Amino acid sequence: MKISVPRESVDSETRVAVTPYSVSELIKLGYEVCIQASAGDKSFISDDLFKKSGAKIIKSSAELLNDASIILKVASPSLDEISLLANKSVCISFFQPTIELDKVSAMQKSNITGMSMHLVPRTTLAQKMDALSSQANIAGYKAVLMGSTHMSVYMPLLMTAAGTIRPAKVLILGAGVAGLQAIATAKRLGAQVEAFDVRPEVKEQVESLGAKFVEVSSESDDGVGEGGYAKETSEDYKQKQQQLIKEHISRADMVITTALIPGRKAPILIGKDVVELMKPGSVIMDLAAENGGNCEITKKDELIIHDGVIIDGTSNVAATMPVHASELYAKNILALVKHMTKEKNLNFDMNDEIISGSTFTHHGSITHEPTNNIMKDS
Amino acid sequence: MKISVPRESVDSETRVAVTPYSVSELIKLGYEVCIQASAGDKSFISDDLFKKSGAKIIKSSAELLNDASIILKVASPSLDEISLLANKSVCISFFQPTIELDKVSAMQKSNITGMSMHLVPRTTLAQKMDALSSQANIAGYKAVLMGSTHMSVYMPLLMTAAGTIRPAKVLILGAGVAGLQAIATAKRLGAQVEAFDVRPEVKEQVESLGAKFVEVSSESDDGVGEGGYAKETSEDYKQKQQQLIKEHISRADMVITTALIPGRKAPILIGKDVVELMKPGSVIMDLAAENGGNCEITKKDELIIHDGVIIDGTSNVAATMPVHASELYAKNILALVKHMTKEKNLNFDMNDEIISGSTFTHHGSITHEPTNNIMKDS
Amino acid sequence: MINLDSILYVLSSILFIIGIKRLSHPKTARSGNFIASLGMLIAIITTLVSNSTVNLELIAIGIIIGSVIGAFFAIRVEMTQMPQMVAIFNGFGGIASALIAAAEFLNPSEPLLSFSLATISLSVFVGTLTFTGSFIAFGKLQGFISGQPIVFFGQQFLNAIIGISILGLSIYIVLDPEQINIFYLIIAASAIIGIGLTIPIGGADMPVVISLLNSYSGIAASSTGFVLNNNALIISGALVGASGLILTNIMCKGMNRSLANVIFGAVGLEQTTDSGSETKQINIKSYSTEEAAMIFDAAEKIIVVPGYGLAVAQAQHAVREVAEFLAKNGKTVLYAIHPVAGRMPGHMNVLLAEANIPYDQLKDLDEVNNEFEDCDVALVLGANDVVNPAARHDSSSPIYGMPILDVDKSRTVIINKRTMNTGFAGVQNELFGYDNSIMVFGDAKEMLQKLLKDLKEL
Amino acid sequence: MINLDSILYVLSSILFIIGIKRLSHPKTARSGNFIASLGMLIAIITTLVSNSTVNLELIAIGIIIGSVIGAFFAIRVEMTQMPQMVAIFNGFGGIASALIAAAEFLNPSEPLLSFSLATISLSVFVGTLTFTGSFIAFGKLQGFISGQPIVFFGQQFLNAIIGISILGLSIYIVLDPEQINIFYLIIAASAIIGIGLTIPIGGADMPVVISLLNSYSGIAASSTGFVLNNNALIISGALVGASGLILTNIMCKGMNRSLANVIFGAVGLEQTTDSGSETKQINIKSYSTEEAAMIFDAAEKIIVVPGYGLAVAQAQHAVREVAEFLAKNGKTVLYAIHPVAGRMPGHMNVLLAEANIPYDQLKDLDEVNNEFEDCDVALVLGANDVVNPAARHDSSSPIYGMPILDVDKSRTVIINKRTMNTGFAGVQNELFGYDNSIMVFGDAKEMLQKLLKDLKEL
Amino acid sequence: MDINIFTVFILAVFVGVEIITKVPPTLHTPLMSGSNAISGIAIVGAIISTKVGGELGTWLGFVAVILATVNVVGGFMVTDRMLKMFKKK
Amino acid sequence: MDINIFTVFILAVFVGVEIITKVPPTLHTPLMSGSNAISGIAIVGAIISTKVGGELGTWLGFVAVILATVNVVGGFMVTDRMLKMFKKK
Ligand SMILES: NC(=O)c1ccc[n+]([C@@H]2O[C@H](COP(=O)([O-])OP(=O)(O)OC[C@H]3O[C@@H](n4cnc5c(N)ncnc54)[C@H](OP(=O)(O)O)[C@@H]3O)[C@@H](O)[C@H]2O)c1
Ligand SMILES: NC(=O)c1ccc[n+]([C@@H]2O[C@H](COP(=O)([O-])OP(=O)(O)OC[C@H]3O[C@@H](n4cnc5c(N)ncnc54)[C@H](OP(=O)(O)O)[C@@H]3O)[C@@H](O)[C@H]2O)c1
Ligand SMILES: NC(=O)c1ccc[n+]([C@@H]2O[C@H](COP(=O)([O-])OP(=O)(O)OC[C@H]3O[C@@H](n4cnc5c(N)ncnc54)[C@H](O)[C@@H]3O)[C@@H](O)[C@H]2O)c1
Ligand SMILES: NC(=O)c1ccc[n+]([C@@H]2O[C@H](COP(=O)([O-])OP(=O)(O)OC[C@H]3O[C@@H](n4cnc5c(N)ncnc54)[C@H](O)[C@@H]3O)[C@@H](O)[C@H]2O)c1
């Protein structure tokens, strides 16, 4: 069976879905691996290295794709690419089926099995295949580095002959994988780190990294109504919370937002008015830029300066660290393919939770419920 | 007496020689402080803020400079600026007299007292005025951040579901102020840090930051000539050392070079051949780019990719962090002016070690010996 | 005025004191034993010399026989059987005291006063009790008797009845010393109570029991001293009796039990804790940090397994301190980092890097998993799912198939967490109930700090 | 057979034992003192009751007078003068023993045996010595006599001569008890040797001397016990004698001196170390970590001043551990960061951040400099130039004019470095010779680890 | 003299030696003071010696009673004061 | 019985209590074994009782001598073996 890895067609995509290591493992699993020429260039993997690991290097897309059983990609395939794919082939990539509806239709029609790394269920067993985590981790790490390069102040406390430098205040909104790694990295650099997330259980995790969780403390309850009937209405509480976060944002030297929910528009966490409260020279790293951004002003893949505040909308942050991003992504993909392989053969078992969960088109039908619903609506 | 602060004429210079705090202090010392409009903009200090601290905002350069007793700048004054300065006025900036010979002549002719922050003697008492240190410190810190943003790999060790990421190897060449801060910052990010410097006493300092000092260990003495007559010739030793450093460079994910000696061409520490030994995707941050660079390939203020290796020649790294860079520089300048002030008056005492040491032109003569020598030679 | 034999007796007592003192410090222990034996030699010679009317022949024969037997067993016994050997020796010492008192009772050298009769009863009682008790202890350890606690209804009550009877019989004897049968009855009852007090105690607690019986044999010797009006016996017996009691107490504390708990039997049952989970109940052993410290003391290779709990407790510095202390004491310490330990990729790396733990001590799953087999202690700190063996074999478990750290393969697994609550995956961990598993409950930071203290105090 | 008074004496001895034991633990100390005083009451009452022939009137008067005097001084004395008060009380106790022995000698209740004569001599000797020695100690502490050691050539030799004479005279007395003059000679010589042994000792060491004299007065009481054949005196005296000696030893260890050093006088001179520098010689005091630990124990506010040496030693974690321990014991701990401490801007920040020391404990020069005035201990760790007071006043110094951390304004400055070598600026630091400065030499990391151990052992 | 009296002495010395192992420095002075008060046990001897036949002996005994009482009463009271102060801190 | 013999007993108990403060767990067994050997001091009593008038007493004494000797000799030897092993480690 043939596995094909095309060169990424999106220009800003520096990652590649396989590495020499994963190629040799795939071959061990019984596959033939074909890679398009210069597919690994941006990840500093030469065709030679791929060849040494046992892959075949193919120049033309058509030749590469038309008889492939499995196609491994990073970004979702273009319509052109889809048109080249064989009937019943399996195409794995970061695909947002609820958004890329035209591509879903195309794949459905061509009877292609579409799988998305976004859809891999987050169960214990699927952790190895959780590319969302591995890439979000990079994003969180890198966001701090990029943000601190934008910043016009130091991160750590420094007491020097020319005066004492106060540590920078870094606020992380959304403490998922990316947010937690951002917390850890900013802490390492010596900043004062605070974080907020709507999920209350995250508080413990934030604190387990030595950062402060921003929350409406019971002390700030105005003191009124101590008799017991003072239990705050949820609305009231939320408003207080909003207010509190606003205050923390306005004091921060850097805010990193990570509330990116794949396949959906990102929630607005920082309005324009709040940006204008911020100090000139402060930085917003918006990791949700891909899906519209958590900041009202964010523009995807642009660096905007609004009222002195720098807003970085780099959407594909993981791609800025191609070597490790590809290495980890390739391992995730490898684990998924391994999971789908039985005795040197593809065993596409739709009863398997991981396989069915990750699949959005199969045998000519759309198997992803939310996508189906949207398709019907439109 | 009037102190004037012009807007920096070099476009890439984001710093400013005063801050609202230093303005108010200068006023307390008895000076009148005039600042050119929008001088602080790039450091996020508005004219309003300056005004509030007691400064006068002046639009025209001529008006600002022609009656100023002291002129405070970051970059050295342009010939145009020099032409506007009053007789006997004192101009303080980062000036490289041995290189900027034409400007030296101009100042000498106009009977302007030229002082350079580069020349401030590094004595204990002058530490407060040591702008070289305060700015080099920023450069060392920022170089690591910029370099790690260029890098396509993680800095720290990470053991994740998608595999174990080995920590990056960072090598620092030259462990002065910038080098030491670079070591500290890279250590913080979790990299494996090594450093080298020609001054052997630096070894202890490097180790005091938890990094490894690269040196020819006595074990690697080939074992020959143990009889006592084996004391290596200095040449032999140096060669071994060169070889060792080459090896370490070729293994490094990032090299930061800091051997910048003001007023002189930077020594070449990394030849083209050595760059070509490095892994594709690795990074060289050349902090000596200003004076030609420690790497043969470095181009001032350019980002070059040579054989897959990224070489960053940003020359004015401190300027990328304008808020703190200006804050610290302004404090250094303030300390120097304070030192030159006695009872609310300028007391330019050429018997004072710090004052005479920092001055290169005074009363129409060149007081900086090396500059004098070069002038005579040419 | 001052007779030489008395001085020599005092001298031998002093040697005993010094001997015991030195025995309680590792460096001086051997010399302490030697000094004590020297004291014994002096006491024996003094006795022989000062009691001219004794039957020297008989004594010589007795000593030779005893020495041969004692030496034979002392040399031949296997290391693992030493505790039971000590038990037997101790029993002999106890019964010797009882016999002497009996001899004095049956053939008094001078008419017996009430005081002497009382002390004779005490000697006989304690000596006999020591004898039978020691033999039960020996039997349990040697496997002649089941090591399990033998408990039955009304046991304590029965023991109390027998004890009271002995008291009553002793009073009777003091009042009417002619009743030889009563005397025999005392012996019999003492023998029974010695058994009765020992059988309800489990094999694991036997060392404590032996120590207690050792203290008893000291008391027996001391009361025999009162019978014979002999200072050497009184002092040495009192010494052994008192120091033995203290030692017993120290041993009990080490096992987190009270002395009363041991004396009044029915201990040694493993603590059973309700797992709080729906399905399986698991029996766990909960240890104190002192006990854990002892286990570490005996270990050579230790693998630390950090988990999310370590991060929650912010115990990264505490664990480094413990690991450094262990390493300084010549042990090998590694950290096993599971790929998904914690709540974000690389969580443990961030944590341990903060505490400056050298990278080369951190091993990932592949590197470390076959290290557990020759590992003495795996120290699991706030980790749960990542060490759950169900992932290997229980296909119904939600974590089935996840690679785990095989901590259960190490000789002992010490697990620290606060409660028996589950981890992220919400499943109970059968590891906690394994035979080689030990729980040390508490916040990871506090536990590690206590552990360090206890390690230092060893 | 067993008489009540003997039992009561034993009881009072037991109370003394318990009392002393409790006195050596902070929590039980007060109750210990109470228990001991109870023991004393029992002993007195027992004596009064069992000795029917004593002069009750005289005794009552004596006790009343003594109580009034004792109570008066005990209540009125100022806290700072307590040591000298104890010295006086102790002297009275000693002379009382001597008087009793003298009474027995001059008016023996029964003919005196040699043994009694020997013990009488001992009582008189030790009692008198204690008396005069205690008064010298009192005088030195109170300032009646110079606190400086009074040393002269041949002093030790003279003391030895007197000691040997006393021994000779005592033998003479035992052989010929009629020689009353010899007896008076013994008293006189003992008085002189008491003075001779105490004057060469400096005021700072007086507490040790008092403790030793206290032990002596116990010995005096015990030997008086032998004279009177009284168990209470023998046991209690022996107790105080022995435990006093141990306490003295502990106190000596605490000051890093041997007991011999104290007993044989001429201690108390401050150690003088050659500074190794060209110009000035400075006298420094070098302390052990144990002594430093005691100083910390008494401190409430501590400011840690890290310098380049801390970085060289990589002692950042060690200093955090010490600081955390101190803070846990209720002390305030701050870090004073000098702007140019270390070898790069922010060197100390990097270092301390690595050890996770909270930012809010770090104070920069401006914030902290007026905190030193009410600071009990400034702990200078591997810093040198940044705490050199010459920068403030010595215009010839190359560092003149640099702002420094005013550690010298704190009550005590404890400075840790490895040697007397200079720092970066290459100038000797006069701070090290200041009166309130104490050097603790050694690598910063090792020193801090030892210090932590000692702090925990207090 | 009975040998037992000697034995008693030796054992008491041992108890005295063993009884004190670790004393925190802050307790050095109070402990010294407290055991100094105990050494005032000489008062027992003093009381006994007032009965010694002759006048001289009795008077010596009387003086001894006074001095020993000062030692005892003053000693215990001063110790208590020190310890009270200790508590407050 | 003399009171002093009682005093001696009490003091010996105190010494016994005070003598042991901290014992590292590894020494628990050797210490127990060593002090067990000391409790073989009963041998002194055994020797004395062989002189007790009657036959029965003498024979009981004889048996006691054997048993006590086993305790003493075996006890000290086994302790030494344990401690030797301890050293090696
Ligand atoms: N690494 C990742 O990227 C990632 C991301 C998301 C989820 N996960 C999941 O998280 C889990 C990680 O496994 P794990 O073993 O590290 O953690 P875990 O299974 O969640 O267990 C942590 C244990 O630590 C104990 N604990 C909590 N606070 C403590 C404290 N202060 N002191 C001592 N113990 C404490 C808890 O028990 P008590 O409450 O009884 O103390 C708990 O059972 C896996 O199931 C993994 O799939 C991982
Ligand atoms: N911060 C900056 O940017 C910068 C840059 C360049 C120079 N400087 C200069 O460096 C100096 C800094 O002052 P400082 O007080 O921090 O340092 P310092 O004056 O250099 O003194 C450091 C002291 O630490 C001791 N030491 C070294 N290793 C030690 C160890 N392992 N354990 C314990 N002690 C150790 C040394 O004494 P022993 O050898 O006797 O142990 C030395 O006297 C100033 O003079 C400053 O001007 C600062
Ligand atoms: N099973 C596993 O082993 C595993 C693996 C990886 C992640 N996870 C879990 O998956 C979850 C999601 O992780 P992720 O990184 O993909 O998250 P994400 O990228 O989907 O979202 C980032 C974070 O933003 C938060 N957020 C959303 N709206 C917000 C708002 N309005 N304000 C503030 N915060 C908001 C979310 O709660 C989330 O924590 C986490 O709980 C993570 O622990 C589990
Ligand atoms: N008196 C003070 O308080 C004070 C203040 C700041 C700096 N200083 C000292 O001044 C010195 C210079 O510091 P800087 O940051 O300005 O240095 P720099 O920028 O002049 O040089 C950087 C480093 O590069 C090294 N270097 C030069 N040629 C090299 C080569 N061929 N290979 C490798 N390394 C080479 C130098 O030794 C120096 O350490 C340092 O010793 C520093 O400690 C002193």
Side-chain angles (χ1 to χ4, degrees), chain C residues 133-251:
Chain C
S134 293
F135 266 76
I136 296 293
F138 165 77
K140 288 212 171 201
L141 285 172
Q142 192 67 3
F144 294 157
I145 311 174
S146 154
Q148 284 302 309
I150 298 170
V151 201
F152 52 84
F153 179 75
Q155 191 169 33
Q156 308 239 17
F157 182 69
L158 188 70
N159 285 343
I161 294 282
I162 301 176
I164 291 168
S165 319
I166 293 174
L167 187 65
L169 293 171
S170 302
I171 293 171
Y172 199 108
I173 272 285
V174 170
L175 299 178
D176 182 0
E178 298 303 304
Q179 298 294 334
I180 308 249
N181 285 338
I182 297 283
F183 185 73
Y184 290 137
L185 219 55
I186 292 180
I187 294 180
S190 302
I192 291 170
I193 206 169
I195 297 168
L197 286 174
T198 323
I199 50 163
I201 302 174
D205 285 329
M206 270 309 137
V208 177
V209 174
I210 298 176
S211 176
L212 185 65
L213 290 171
N214 175 35
S215 167
Y216 289 171
S217 73
I219 295 172
S222 194
S223 65
T224 308
F226 279 102
V227 175
L228 300 177
N229 203 353
N230 180 295
N231 261 354
L233 278 171
I234 294 175
I235 300 177
S236 315
L239 264 180
V240 172
S243 66
L245 217 60
I246 299 291
L247 177 61
T248 310
N249 219 343
I250 290 176
M251 288 167 83

Side-chain angles (χ1 to χ4, degrees), chain A residues 7 15 17 54 61 66 117 128 134 140 175 185 207 286 343 377:
Chain A
R7 183 176 52 238
R15 294 170 288 181
S61 297
N66 65 19
M117 296 307 282
K128 277 183 170 178
S134 71
T185 309
E207 286 169 353
D286 193 338
E343 286 153 15
D377 287 356

Side-chain angles (χ1 to χ4, degrees), chain A residues 1-2 4 32 62-70 84-86:
Chain A
M1 293 204 126
K2 179 170 158 186
S4 286
E32 178 194 1
E63 192 189 333
L64 181 79
L65 298 177
N66 65 19
D67 60 344
S69 310
I70 305 177
L84 293 174
L85 298 185

Side-chain angles (χ1 to χ4, degrees), chain B residues 248-285:
Chain B
H248 281 265
I249 292 174
S250 67
R251 264 178 292 176
D253 293 292
M254 168 150 73
V255 182
I256 299 178
T257 66
T258 74
L260 169 74
I261 298 112
R264 264 198 275 159
K265 202 189 153 338
I268 296 294
L269 307 182
I270 311 179
K272 189 161 164 265
D273 56 322
V274 185
V275 173
E276 284 160 10
L277 288 175
M278 291 176 74
K279 282 178 290 194
S282 51
V283 174
I284 297 174
M285 292 300 301

Side-chain angles (χ1 to χ4, degrees), chain A residues 108-156:
Chain A
Q108 177 190 13
K109 274 176 208 138
S110 317
N111 197 15
I112 294 164
T113 300
M115 293 182 83
S116 172
M117 296 307 282
H118 280 312
L119 301 181
V120 173
R122 297 190 114 167
T123 60
T124 303
L125 202 55
Q127 283 178 130
K128 277 183 170 178
M129 315 154 199
D130 188 355
L132 226 46
S133 278
S134 71
Q135 306 302 302
N137 201 46
I138 295 180
Y141 163 77
K142 204 63 190 276
V144 173
L145 293 180
M146 288 165 65
S148 59
T149 333
H150 297 320
M151 275 162 67
S152 52
V153 292
Y154 274 112
M155 293 281 261

Side-chain angles (χ1 to χ4, degrees), chain A residues 94-116:
Chain A
F94 272 126
F95 200 109
Q96 301 199 35
T98 51
I99 295 178
E100 305 174 281
L101 297 173
D102 46 347
K103 293 183 189 172
V104 174
S105 305
M107 288 173 88
Q108 177 190 13
K109 274 176 208 138
S110 317
N111 197 15
I112 294 164
T113 300
M115 293 182 83
S116 172

